[in-house]
């Protein structure tokens, strides 16, 4: 068994060295101006990375310090390739894409943080965690992004880079959670709670995607980022639906989840509504009323908890959440201008549509708030 493990380790090390040589060739071809040849070698590196991570499973059998150095060298070469692409574009083009520079920064930060944490873990005499799927897919996505930039595929550059950045952030957050939690005192977050947390973590990135072009007029934003904003909102809605279902199905209903779920909903939805204010899709007074209702109900829920009482979810609250989700999706879909060439006078229709949708959302939100307060008179009597 030992000889077999040693043989597998030797193969993975040789494979890793060959992948490093391929990346070095990519850097050379970039500076020689041979973009297509460099792209071909990136394709080879992509296949080799996939085999190394998913077939040979090098991360699971390699010795800790070898694994540390192999990861460092691979990450350093990925950063070097991406930086070479950025610097090359900076020299040859007047308007270099800023997002490429942001991606290089994330790669460097991830490389430094990951290796410092790994070194700290090894010095403490602990075993390194296996690479999770987030980290594996982040490495694959970064390699694909290299090829897209080398081929200068304008329609896919931004979406690939944003996907790579999001995957790098997700893998870093997952690693940080593993590193800082103490198994002796803390239980790992359930899958349902992880889904809930994902909405909180991704909400700031929705804000960035929504205003990527630094222009408050969302209508002239890139179609790629409009589509990405819509996909993120659909992801928010899906995780909101799944976290409760999974918690009940797996018997993982927790006090943390009961408070975290409505909190994450309000964080994500209120952020989206504030984006709508900025771009003119919603008047300030509507969002202010929605905020007033949400904060009032949360205050009521906190008062109930202080008395050891549980304020159950009301059907009106579920209708409110559903309508908010449908309304947000309707506005973001409309912003894509899908029917601009089909519906006559579409722009006139669109000039009132977002405000009408927000008016409906505001009305049901206020009605839901009144319903909660009427149903919670017994809680208010304890304080009034």
């Amino acid at each position: 068994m030992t000889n077999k493990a040693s043989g597998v380790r030797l193969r993975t090390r040789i494979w890793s060295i060959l992948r490093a040589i391929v990346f070095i060739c990519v850097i050379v071809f970039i500076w020689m101006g041979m973009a297509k040849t460099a792209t071909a070698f990136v394709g080879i590196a992509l296949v080799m990375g996939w085999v190394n991570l998913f077939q040979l499973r090098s991360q699971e059998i390699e010795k800790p310090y070898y694994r540390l150095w192999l990861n460092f060298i691979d990450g350093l070469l990925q950063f070097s390739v991406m930086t070479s692409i950025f610097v090359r574009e900076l020299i040859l083009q007047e308007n270099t894409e800023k997002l490429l520079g942001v991606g290089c920064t994330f790669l460097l930060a991830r490389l430094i943080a990951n290796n410092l944490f790994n070194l700290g873990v090894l010095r403490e005499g602990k075993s390194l965690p296996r690479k999770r799927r987030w980290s594996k897919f982040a490495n694959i996505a970064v390699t694909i992004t290299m090829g897209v930039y080398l081929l200068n595929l304008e329609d896919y550059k931004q979406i690939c880079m944003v996907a790579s950045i999001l995957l790098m952030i997700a893998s870093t957050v997952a690693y940080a959670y593993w590193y800082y939690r103490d198994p002796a005192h803390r239980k790992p977050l359930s899958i349902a709670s992880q889904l809930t947390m994902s909405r909180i973590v991704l909400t700031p990135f929705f804000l960035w995607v929504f205003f990527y072009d630094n222009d408050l007029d969302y209508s002239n934003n890139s179609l790629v980022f409009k589509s990405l904003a819509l996909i993120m909102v659909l992801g928010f809605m899906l995780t909101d639906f799944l976290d409760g279902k999974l918690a009940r199905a797996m018997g993982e209903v927790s006090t943390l989840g009961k408070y975290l779920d409505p909190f994450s909903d309000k964080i994500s939805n209120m952020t989206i509504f504030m984006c709508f204010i900025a771009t003119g899709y919603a008047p300030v007074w509507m969002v202010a009323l929605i905020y007033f209702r949400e904060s009032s109900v949360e205050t009521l829920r906190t008062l109930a908890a202080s008395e050891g009482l549980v304020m159950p979810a009301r059907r009106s609250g579920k209708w409110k959440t559903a309508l908010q989700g449908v309304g947000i999706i309707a506005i973001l879909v409309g912003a894509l201008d899908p029917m601009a060439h089909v519906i006559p006078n579409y722009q006139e229709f669109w000039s009132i549509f977002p405000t009408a949708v927000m008016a409906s959302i505001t009305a049901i939100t206020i009605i839901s708030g009144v319903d909660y307060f009427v149903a919670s008179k017994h809680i208010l009597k304890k304080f009034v």
Side-chain angles (χ1 to χ4, degrees):
M1 182 65 71
T2 304
N3 291 334
K4 183 178 180 180
S6 299
V8 175
R9 286 197 196 103
L10 180 60
R11 287 199 299 273
T12 59
R13 290 172 190 173
I14 293 173
W15 201 251
S16 297
I17 292 171
L18 290 175
R19 178 174 152 90
I21 293 172
V22 169
F23 272 133
I24 292 172
C25 292
V26 171
I27 296 170
V28 172
F29 289 131
I30 288 172
W31 287 105
M32 291 176 65
M34 302 169 64
K36 291 184 178 180
T37 307
T39 305
F41 274 77
V42 167
I44 296 171
L46 176 64
V47 174
M48 295 180 74
W50 180 273
V51 172
N52 211 11
L53 291 171
F54 292 95
Q55 301 298 321
L56 297 177
R57 299 183 181 276
S58 61
Q59 301 297 320
E60 299 176 14
I61 62 174
E62 187 55 85
K63 292 181 179 180
Y65 275 100
Y66 277 100
R67 182 175 156 193
L68 176 68
W69 280 107
L70 289 174
N71 284 343
F72 174 74
I73 293 170
D74 190 71
L76 182 62
L77 287 171
Q78 283 188 340
F79 170 72
S80 299
V81 171
M82 199 68 79
T83 305
S84 296
I85 296 172
F86 176 69
V87 175
R88 182 79 176 171
E89 286 196 6
L90 197 64
I91 294 172
L92 298 179
Q93 300 180 20
E94 294 182 359
N95 298 320
T96 305
E97 189 175 333
K98 296 178 182 178
L99 189 59
L100 179 56
V102 173
C104 292
T105 303
F106 269 97
L107 268 175
L108 180 61
R110 181 183 181 229
L111 174 66
I112 295 172
N114 192 46
N115 283 280
L116 285 177
F117 279 123
N118 281 340
L119 189 59
V121 169
L122 291 177
R123 286 182 175 177
E124 292 172 3
K126 300 177 181 177
S127 59
L128 293 174
R130 294 178 180 179
K131 274 198 171 183
R132 290 167 171 78
R133 290 189 181 274
W134 287 116
S135 182
K136 292 179 180 180
F137 285 128
N139 287 339
I140 298 297
V142 168
T143 309
I144 292 173
T145 303
M146 293 175 189
V148 169
Y149 271 89
L150 285 170
L151 290 175
N152 199 29
L153 302 177
E154 292 292 345
D155 294 336
Y156 301 99
K157 280 183 178 181
Q158 294 179 342
I159 191 69
C160 285
M161 182 58 77
V162 170
S164 297
I165 291 173
L166 290 176
L167 285 169
M168 283 191 282
I169 291 170
S171 64
T172 302
V173 170
Y175 187 91
Y177 168 72
W178 173 88
Y179 184 83
Y180 284 111
R181 75 178 174 86
D182 184 358
H185 299 95
R186 301 180 188 175
K187 295 181 180 179
L189 280 176
S190 65
I191 294 176
S193 295
Q194 290 181 41
L195 288 174
T196 305
M197 283 291 294
S198 69
R199 296 201 294 279
I200 299 174
V201 172
L202 290 176
T203 294
F205 296 101
F206 173 86
L207 193 66
W208 174 66
V209 168
F210 197 90
F211 294 116
Y212 168 72
D213 59 354
N214 297 320
D215 187 353
L216 295 182
D217 185 1
Y218 185 69
S219 63
N220 60 15
N221 204 344
S222 166
L223 180 61
V224 170
F225 280 85
K226 285 182 179 180
S227 301
L228 184 57
L230 177 60
I231 291 171
M232 291 183 72
V233 169
L234 290 172
F236 292 161
M237 305 306 168
L238 180 61
T239 56
D240 186 28
F241 172 76
L242 288 178
D243 56 10
K245 294 281 186 182
L246 288 175
R248 289 187 290 272
M250 302 175 70
E252 295 179 340
V253 177
S254 63
T255 303
L256 174 65
K258 290 179 180 178
Y259 284 95
L260 201 59
D261 184 48
F263 173 73
S264 64
D265 291 341
K266 289 165 182 56
I267 287 291
S268 57
N269 284 357
M270 290 307 301
T271 299
I272 295 169
F273 291 149
M274 285 189 287
C275 290
F276 286 174
I277 290 176
T279 200
Y281 292 163
V284 174
W285 66 267
M286 288 185 184
V287 177
L289 286 175
I290 294 172
Y291 175 78
F292 177 77
R293 180 272 181 198
E294 303 289 15
S295 59
S296 299
V297 172
E298 284 307 302
T299 301
L300 186 60
R301 185 174 280 114
T302 303
L303 291 174
S306 69
E307 293 294 319
L309 302 173
V310 177
M311 194 171 73
R314 304 282 298 169
R315 182 173 295 180
S316 63
K318 295 179 180 179
W319 277 104
K320 180 267 301 182
T321 301
L323 181 60
Q324 285 185 353
V326 171
I328 290 169
I329 291 172
I331 292 173
L332 291 178
V333 168
L336 296 174
D337 296 335
M339 307 297 289
H341 302 293
V342 178
I343 300 177
N345 301 319
Y346 178 79
Q347 293 303 325
E348 294 181 11
F349 164 78
W350 178 245
S351 65
I352 62 172
F353 178 75
T355 305
V357 171
M358 286 301 301
S360 301
I361 291 174
T362 304
I364 192 63
T365 301
I366 296 300
I367 292 171
S368 170
V370 172
D371 180 50
Y372 266 92
F373 273 85
V374 171
S376 304
K377 289 185 292 186
H378 61 291
I379 298 174
L380 292 172
K381 287 180 180 178
K382 292 181 176 291
F383 298 94
V384 179

